[in-house]
């Protein structure tokens, strides 16, 4: 398991039976995740979801009337609690396993194409929270980062709102609290950027881009001093824009936020010097952690390029748990070696960059997940490719003869003939995502028809 290898006994002995049941359910979810012999179906997932919800009801009944703070000062994340503080300072064992169950279930909902249902929102809120925590910690983020997270949170709100009547009110309140916890952090970051005046937002965006490019070059298999030196030259060009150490506007005024941007520029220059000096050589004491994070980053990067053909969303669970474990192993925010020594600045920044980058890929893979069951993905992906080809033909001037469209027409007809009573079946199952696939099929037929009519008209002329 990639979760905590051993769990302490619950502080309340009554919760032991709930913990045992959740551990059993999580094991069933893990076995289902690892089974590649067949497609995951709603009928596989929903019974396990109902079992988890039943355990949550039992847990809430046990905790009813308890204060939302344990003896160590950690606020409990009751699924019913409207005053939830999240994540926990000290996570009770039952809550930790429950989180793992909901995380897996959320990814299963994406796998079976039920992306727009409330349980699918759980995994995304976890990832967004991790990302925002890291952005706050290092104070390195761009307007694009925040805009995308804001859009996703708004979409999740709409999903939870539309789920009223379909899912437990307590569960929906729980999800809403997680979304608003993320929104609070996001608003804080947006307010910081809003303070920048004049041309500083553009300079800020450029500096963040250069800094990330330097960190990327620093973690490549083959270090390139030339590439980092080129990026450093761009930093020096920005530095040359300053007058007496300050950025000034056209009317010679110093815009708001000048000190912050100057400080960021200095951080970038220092980091570029450190990276050029170290040339990608990592200390032995932290090399194992570094190699693990590089492998996770590289794997997730490949998945982001081949997602449509190779990703089962539940695979993300293992990567996320590995990252969580490494991230949570820090002491007061610092990485430590086997002897308990704190990591130097170079190590600290490099490891944090790899963690943030990996969480970023997980976020991208989740939001890019199509609302189509994995059983229908082969058909859906073929239609996506066909659609792109037809659009490309249309944009390049169309075809000179309808005969040129025969390959596209034959492929469309072969896919359309797979339907039974208007639906795509896999065995006797009707997988989720029928509407998305049929809409895409109709769009391809329409594009093909437009191209044929245009070719026939040209022929007649």
């Amino acid at each position: 398991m990639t979760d905590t290898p051993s769990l302490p006994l619950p502080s309340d002995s009554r919760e032991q039976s709930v913990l045992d049941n959740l551990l059993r359910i999580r094991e069933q979810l893990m076995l289902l995740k690892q089974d590649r012999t067949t497609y995951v179906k709603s009928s596989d997932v929903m019974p396990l979801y109902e079992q988890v919800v039943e355990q949550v009801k039992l847990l809430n009944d046990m905790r009813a009337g308890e204060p939302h703070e344990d003896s160590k000062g950690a606020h409990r994340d009751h699924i019913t609690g409207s005053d939830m503080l999240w994540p926990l300072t000290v996570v009770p064992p039952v809550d930790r396993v429950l989180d793992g169950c909901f995380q897996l279930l959320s990814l299963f909902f994406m796998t079976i194409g039920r992306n727009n249902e409330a349980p699918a929102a759980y995994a995304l809120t976890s990832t967004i929270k991790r990302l925002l925590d890291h952005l706050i910690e290092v104070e390195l983020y761009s307007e694009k980062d925040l805009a995308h997270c804001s859009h996703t949170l708004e979409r999740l709100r709409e999903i939870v709102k539309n789920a009223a009547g379909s899912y437990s009110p307590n569960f929906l309140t729980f999800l809403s609290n997680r979304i608003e916890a993320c929104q609070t952090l996001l608003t804080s970051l947006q307010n910081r950027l809003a303070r920048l005046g004049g041309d500083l937002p553009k300079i800020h965006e450029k500096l963040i881009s250069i800094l990330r490019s330097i960190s990327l070059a620093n973690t490549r298999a083959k270090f390139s001093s030339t590439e980092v030196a080129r990026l450093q030259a761009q930093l020096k060009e920005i530095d040359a824009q300053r007058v007496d150490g300050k950025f000034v506007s056209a009317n010679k005024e110093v815009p708001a936020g000048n000190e912050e941007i100057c400080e960021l520029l200095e951080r970038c220059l220092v980091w570029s010097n450190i990276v050029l000096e170290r040339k990608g050589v990592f200390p032995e004491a932290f090399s194992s952690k570094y190699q693990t994070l590089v492998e996770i980053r590289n794997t997730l990067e490949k998945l982001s390029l081949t997602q449509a053909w190779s990703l089962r969303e539940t695979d993300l669970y293992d990567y996320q748990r590995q990252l969580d474990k490494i991230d949570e192993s820090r002491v007061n925010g610092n990485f430590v070696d086997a002897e308990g020594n704190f990591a130097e600045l170079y190590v600290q920044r490099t490891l944090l960059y790899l963690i943030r980058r990996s969480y970023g890929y997980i976020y991208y893979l989740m939001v890019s997940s199509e609302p189509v069951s994995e059983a229908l993905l082969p058909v859906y992906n073929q239609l996506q490719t066909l659609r792109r080809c037809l659009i490309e033909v249309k944009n390049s001037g169309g075809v000179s003869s309808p005969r040129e469209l025969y390959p596209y027409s034959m492929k469309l007809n072969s896919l359309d003939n797979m339907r039974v009573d208007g639906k795509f079946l896999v065995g006797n199952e009707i997988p989720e995502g029928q509407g998305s696939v049929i809409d895409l099929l109709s769009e391809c037929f329409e594009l093909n028809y437009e191209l044929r009519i245009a070719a026939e008209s040209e022929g007649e002329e």
Side-chain angles (χ1 to χ4, degrees):
M1 289 294 297
T2 51
D3 216 331
T4 308
S6 61
L7 291 164
L9 293 174
S11 56
D12 186 339
S13 59
R14 296 178 303 164
E15 294 184 3
Q16 184 62 49
S17 62
V18 174
L19 176 60
D20 291 340
N21 288 331
L22 288 173
L23 285 168
R24 175 182 53 77
I25 296 168
R26 189 180 67 179
E27 185 63 27
Q28 289 179 267
L29 288 166
M30 290 297 292
L31 290 172
L32 182 61
K33 180 180 82 69
Q34 292 161 5
D35 184 5
R36 296 282 182 167
T37 60
T38 184
Y39 294 120
V40 180
K41 305 179 289 291
S42 290
S43 56
D44 299 323
V45 177
M46 292 310 294
L48 294 171
Y49 169 78
E50 295 298 338
Q51 290 177 41
V52 171
V53 170
E54 182 60 34
Q55 295 308 307
V56 169
K57 289 178 182 176
L58 293 173
L59 190 60
N60 282 341
D61 289 343
M62 292 176 188
R63 293 178 175 179
E66 288 185 12
H68 286 246
E69 186 171 275
D70 63 22
S71 59
K72 296 182 181 180
H75 291 263
R76 280 190 165 183
D77 184 6
H78 288 219
I79 200 167
T80 55
S82 57
D83 57 341
M84 175 195 66
L85 292 177
W86 170 72
L88 308 178
T89 308
V90 179
V91 184
V94 178
D95 296 67
R96 180 175 286 278
V97 178
L98 180 61
D99 172 71
C101 289
F102 272 127
Q103 194 78 15
L104 277 165
L105 284 166
S106 184
L107 293 169
F108 268 118
F109 266 74
M110 294 183 193
T111 302
I112 60 178
R114 300 173 73 162
N115 304 49
N116 296 322
E117 296 188 28
Y122 188 95
L124 258 173
T125 57
S126 297
T127 304
I128 292 172
K129 177 64 167 53
R130 287 277 181 178
L131 281 171
L132 293 174
D133 279 340
H134 273 275
L135 295 181
I136 288 174
E137 178 184 3
V138 297
E139 297 185 336
L140 299 172
Y141 52 91
S142 68
E143 177 60 36
K144 291 178 183 177
D145 297 333
L146 305 187
H148 205 292
C149 284
S150 179
H151 173 75
T152 302
L153 288 175
E154 190 57 42
R155 183 172 66 83
L156 296 182
R157 276 194 201 91
E158 195 64 25
I159 289 173
V160 172
K161 179 182 175 182
N162 293 336
S166 302
Y167 290 94
S168 159
N170 290 338
F171 179 62
L172 297 183
T173 299
F174 173 64
L175 283 177
S176 294
N177 290 337
R178 290 171 68 90
I179 292 169
E180 295 315 312
C182 291
Q183 184 62 56
T184 299
L185 297 178
L186 179 63
T187 301
S188 172
L189 291 168
Q190 288 171 329
N191 290 339
R192 291 188 196 181
L193 279 188
R195 294 200 303 261
L196 301 180
D199 291 331
L200 292 186
K202 292 180 181 179
I203 297 174
H204 177 268
E205 196 82 16
K206 182 66 175 175
L207 288 174
I208 294 297
S209 176
I210 294 172
L211 185 62
R212 288 175 176 174
S213 296
I214 292 173
S215 296
L216 174 60
N218 179 49
T219 54
R220 284 208 175 102
K222 291 184 179 180
F223 182 82
S224 171
S225 297
T226 305
E227 182 182 359
V228 178
R230 178 179 58 79
L231 292 165
Q232 187 182 63
Q234 293 180 34
L235 291 174
K236 291 178 179 178
E237 288 177 10
I238 295 173
D239 188 22
Q241 297 175 22
R242 292 198 283 179
V243 178
D244 296 329
K246 299 176 181 178
F247 292 101
V248 296
S249 60
N251 57 6
K252 306 302 181 182
E253 291 183 356
V254 178
N258 175 75
E259 290 184 8
E260 294 176 39
I261 300 303
C262 288
E263 182 183 341
L264 174 59
L265 174 58
E266 295 298 335
R267 287 174 68 184
C268 292
L269 287 167
V270 169
W271 181 235
S272 65
N273 286 329
I274 293 174
V275 170
L276 280 171
E277 180 185 335
R278 301 299 290 263
K279 292 182 170 55
V281 178
F282 218 74
E284 184 62 33
F286 293 93
S287 62
S288 175
K289 198 164 288 185
Y290 174 75
Q291 288 302 326
T292 298
L293 288 173
V294 167
E295 287 173 12
I296 293 173
R297 189 272 311 270
N298 291 348
T299 302
L300 291 170
E301 183 179 22
K302 289 176 184 176
L303 279 174
S304 71
L305 298 174
T306 61
Q307 174 187 15
W309 303 96
S310 59
L311 176 69
R312 175 185 268 190
E313 284 80 358
T314 49
D315 294 341
L316 297 176
Y317 178 83
D318 293 334
Y319 300 117
Q320 194 155 29
R321 283 303 190 236
Q322 280 182 277
L323 291 170
D324 291 350
K325 187 175 180 180
I326 294 173
D327 197 16
E328 292 167 9
S329 71
R330 293 190 284 158
V331 178
N332 296 325
N334 296 295
F335 291 101
V336 294
D337 62 18
E339 297 176 359
N341 299 313
F342 286 153
E344 58 180 304
L345 179 64
Y346 174 73
V347 172
Q348 180 79 2
R349 283 193 179 180
T350 302
L351 295 180
L352 282 176
Y353 165 76
L354 288 169
I355 288 176
R356 289 196 304 274
R357 187 72 172 172
S358 297
Y359 277 130
Y361 278 126
I362 290 174
Y363 168 77
Y364 168 79
L365 289 165
M366 285 183 184
V367 297
S368 302
S369 174
E370 299 286 355
V372 175
S373 167
E374 67 169 349
L376 281 184
L377 272 180
V379 175
Y380 186 79
N381 291 334
Q382 289 178 66
L383 286 170
Q384 287 273 50
T385 303
L386 195 54
R387 175 180 173 274
R388 282 195 293 269
C389 291
L390 289 169
I391 289 174
E392 184 63 31
V393 170
K394 183 179 179 180
N395 292 338
S396 60
V399 294
S400 56
S401 165
R403 295 181 65 86
E404 295 177 39
L405 294 171
Y406 281 0
Y408 304 108
S409 300
M410 290 176 64
K411 184 62 180 177
L412 276 172
N413 287 321
S414 69
L415 293 172
D416 189 31
N417 289 336
M418 293 172 62
R419 292 199 284 173
V420 178
D421 296 330
K423 296 182 175 63
F424 290 96
L425 302 184
V426 176
N428 295 322
E429 296 279 337
I430 302 176
E432 302 286 341
Q434 297 285 328
S436 298
V437 178
I438 291 171
D439 286 346
L440 191 54
L441 178 64
S442 299
E443 186 180 353
C444 289
F445 268 120
E446 189 173 333
L447 283 166
N448 193 57
Y449 176 75
E450 288 176 4
L451 288 167
R452 181 168 63 81
I453 293 299
E456 289 175 350
S457 298
E458 280 191 23
E460 289 174 2
E461 290 174 6

